[in-house]
């Protein structure tokens, strides 16, 4: 952790030591404080380590100091969207017509995947990430498997698609962890189907070779992903796990989202997907299982005891009729929780946090499985940790200056006392209540408007229309 103690002592107020924000109310991880100044290092202040990072946090400041930028409302650390497939945004609305299952939905999703190229993907992702910034999201985990041209031919630049996503995040002003995904088979022992050919590098070795060419940037981390146990043969799992371990990079995997996958895994390997991952060295504190919906008690113990994280995507899980995963039991056993908007049926991390608790209430017919503070930690600090942004997602000296401010004066949020800001944020606010989004000390969203992408709805409409058949 880089902690700029040299600048902390002097940086209590005033712009001389960097930029100062005055937060009318701030959520500090376990409580809401009124009147907090946050000072952010700028270039030349603490060197590169101070740049865009918080250098001091001072509660008990009743009025904005001269020169401070005022953030009215409730300011949270930036939200982390730990699981995204940017191109699924093109399916919004259109997949709500008619009946079906996850597997029929997937056919529609593949038809969009077939039409993307690096240019159209860049345009779409830039708009989607701008939508995320408007929703207060400051870091996204992009689970990326659309690697090659249709049919599977590599582009001249073999990482053209991944680089398009990294560039899109920069232009939308948010951080990205590109979770470059190994996707090698259609099912257990089956080669990729026609639409899946562009996902596949052939072998995990070839996947690793291509991934190793990707470069990290200030706003971009490179991580790894295994699409699922059906898409990566067991003999290839360790290669991907080793690649991530050597780089201390995050490793994500779709886990037991569907009972059909569990059954096929039992048939192929005589064990559950979780057990299979454990046996091939995939589990551990830098690994995150996505969905983890249909688990056995033993699976929960394996995940919790190894410190493997769990990313729940409740709005997608309910949209796809997946089921309700055992998030509470996983966390009790030691698995840190994060949240993702996954298929982008909606992009609203507050709704994801709320849904986690409300799903559990419906399932158990009791209330209060998580506090609002615990749900916000999943949406902030633990989400960032799952994406390899250690120390982010808190308002503390040394943390990246990533902030999200919600209005407490909308029709949804007016009324409750500000000290119940966390409860209001989780159980009443929506993405529409985000007024400011700040990334590395820069306003990406100001007063509800994106500062880099001028008309986000228009950008989304154009990018989605371009993909219609
Ligand atoms: Zn997913």
């Amino acid at each position: 952790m880089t902690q700029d103690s040299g600048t902390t002592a002097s940086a209590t107020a005033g712009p001389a030591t960097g930029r100062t924000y005055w937060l009318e109310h701030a959520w500090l991880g376990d409580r809401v404080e009124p009147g907090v100044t946050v000072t952010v290092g700028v270039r030349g202040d603490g060197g590169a380590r101070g740049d865009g990072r918080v250098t001091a946090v001072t509660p008990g400041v009743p009025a904005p100091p001269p020169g401070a930028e005022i953030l009215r409302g409730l300011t949270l650390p930036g939200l982390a969207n730990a699981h995204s497939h940017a191109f699924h945004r093109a399916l919004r609305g259109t997949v709500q017509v008619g009946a079906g299952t996850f597997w029929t939905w997937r056919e529609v999703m593949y038809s969009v995947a077939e039409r993307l190229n690096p240019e159209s993907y860049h345009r779409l992702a830039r708009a989607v990430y701008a939508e995320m910034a408007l929703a207060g999201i400051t870091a996204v985990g992009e689970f990326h498997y659309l690697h090659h041209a249709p049919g599977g031919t590599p582009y001249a630049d073999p990482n053209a698609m991944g680089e398009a996503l990294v560039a899109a995040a920069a232009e939308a002003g948010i951080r990205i962890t590109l979770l470059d995904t190994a996707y090698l088979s259609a099912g257990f022992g089956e080669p990729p189907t026609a639409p899946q050919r562009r996902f596949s590098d052939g072998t995990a070795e070839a996947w690793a070779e291509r991934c190793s060419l990707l470069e990290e940037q200030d706003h971009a981390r490179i991580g790894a992903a295994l699409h699922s146990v059906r898409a990566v043969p067991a003999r290839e799992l360790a290669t991907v796990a080793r690649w991530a371990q050597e780089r201390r990079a995050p490793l994500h995997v779709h886990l037991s989202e569907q009972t059909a996958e569990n059954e096929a895994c039992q048939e192929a390997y005589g064990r559950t997907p979780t057990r299979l991952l454990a046996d091939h060295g995939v589990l551990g504190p830098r690994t995150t299982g996505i969905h983890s919906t249909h688990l056995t008690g033993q699976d929960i113990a394996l995940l919790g005891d190894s410190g493997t994280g769990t990313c729940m995507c409740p709005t997608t899980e309910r949209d796809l009729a997946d089921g309700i995963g055992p998030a509470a039991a996983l966390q009790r056993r030691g698995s840190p929780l994060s949240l993702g908007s996954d298929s982008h049926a909606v992009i609203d991390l507050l709704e994801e946090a709320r849904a986690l608790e409300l799903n559990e209430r419906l399932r158990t017919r009791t209330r209060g499985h998580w506090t609002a503070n615990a749900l916000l930690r999943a949406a902030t600090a633990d989400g960032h940790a799952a994406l390899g942004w250690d120390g982010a997602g808190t308002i503390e000296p040394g943390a990246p200056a990533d902030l999200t401010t919600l209005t407490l004066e909308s029709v949804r949020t007016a009324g409750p006392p500000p000290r119940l800001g966390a409860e209001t944020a989780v159980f009443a606010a929506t993405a529409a209540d985000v007024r400011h989004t700040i990334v590395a000390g820069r306003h990406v969203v100001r007063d509800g408007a994106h500062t880099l992408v001028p008309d986000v709805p228009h950008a989304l409409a154009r990018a989605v229309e371009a993909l219609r058949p």
Side-chain angles (χ1 to χ4, degrees), residues 83-85 88 143 145 227 254 257 290-291 313 316 342-343:
H83 190 64
S84 159
H85 307 281
H88 292 191
F143 197 105
Y145 53 86
H227 181 275
H254 287 133
E257 183 179 6
I290 314 297
H291 305 302
C313 308
T316 293
D342 188 5
S343 69

Side-chain angles (χ1 to χ4, degrees), residues 150 196 309 373 392 462:
Q196 294 167 342
N373 286 332
R462 268 201 353 210

Side-chain angles (χ1 to χ4, degrees), residues 104 109 173 204 227 361 395 448:
T104 52
M109 184 265 280
H227 181 275
R361 290 186 189 180
I395 303 179

Side-chain angles (χ1 to χ4, degrees), residues 195-252:
Q196 294 167 342
R197 260 174 230 139
R198 61 184 313 192
F199 310 163
S200 176
D201 293 293
T203 64
E205 270 308 322
W207 166 87
E209 219 171 281
R210 181 181 52 71
C211 270
S212 300
L213 301 173
L214 285 160
E215 283 177 19
E216 300 207 325
Q217 301 177 31
D218 282 351
H219 80 291
R221 295 255 145 99
I222 308 299
L226 294 155
H227 181 275
S228 55
V229 294
R230 66 175 187 272
V232 181
R235 62 177 182 281
E236 308 265 25
L237 292 170
T239 304
V240 179
R242 207 163 36 238
W243 187 94
Q245 266 151 22
E246 282 166 2
R247 285 161 181 77
R248 305 179 66 77
L251 172 60
H252 287 208

Side-chain angles (χ1 to χ4, degrees), residues 334-374:
S335 178
L337 291 185
S338 53
L339 298 164
S341 65
D342 188 5
S343 69
H344 313 313
V346 295
I347 295 178
D348 187 340
L349 260 278
L350 300 171
E351 174 62 28
E352 302 294 345
R354 169 161 62 237
L356 197 65
E357 164 68 17
L358 298 187
N359 277 352
E360 199 66 7
R361 290 186 189 180
L362 285 172
R363 201 175 65 77
T364 62
R365 290 183 286 157
T366 57
R367 307 174 84 232
H369 303 275
W370 287 277
T371 63
N373 286 332

